[in-house]
Amino acid sequence: MKAVTVSQKGQVAIPKEIRERLRIKTGDQLIFKISKGKIILEPTINVPRSQAWFWTEEIQQKIKKAEKNFQAGNFKRYDRIDDLLGDLKE
């Protein structure tokens, strides 16, 4: 653990070892979170607005649920497209 000093402008420098370990580069963006009285910095990436819906908590939970169902074998195979379309109509 390494201590850093807050500047007059509220700035801190991320130690080199941490930047290297997390591959944080100049110009990268970080998210600030507060949890249980602690500051958490999380590296982030930019996502086009048209794709942002995919990364919402709701969609990610649905994807995880679908993956668990698939891994558990909870899916149906179709040999004919007409059978699939019939099930979709119902």
Side-chain angles (χ1 to χ4, degrees):
M1 185 183 312
K2 184 170 182 172
V4 297
T5 303
V6 179
S7 75
Q8 288 181 331
K9 294 183 179 183
Q11 299 170 328
V12 295
I14 302 170
K16 183 178 180 180
E17 310 86 63
I18 294 173
R19 290 192 321 265
E20 288 175 348
R21 186 171 175 187
L22 296 177
R23 296 187 302 267
I24 297 172
K25 307 249 187 295
T26 302
D28 285 355
Q29 293 184 343
L30 304 172
I31 295 173
F32 277 75
K33 297 179 184 179
I34 298 174
S35 177
K36 299 179 183 175
K38 296 181 180 184
I39 299 171
I40 299 170
L41 293 174
E42 182 179 353
T44 186
I45 59 170
N46 289 325
V47 176
R49 185 173 291 161
S50 63
Q51 297 175 11
W53 63 270
F54 181 81
W55 298 103
T56 62
E57 186 66 27
E58 177 186 4
I59 297 300
Q60 289 300 303
Q61 291 300 323
K62 288 180 180 182
I63 290 171
K64 288 176 186 175
K65 182 179 178 183
E67 182 65 25
K68 285 181 183 177
N69 279 326
F70 180 76
Q71 294 297 329
N74 297 330
F75 61 90
K76 185 174 180 181
R77 292 183 185 262
Y78 294 93
D79 294 324
R80 297 174 356 124
I81 191 70
D82 292 335
D83 296 336
L84 169 64
L85 294 174
D87 278 357
L88 289 174
K89 287 180 184 177
E90 295 175 15

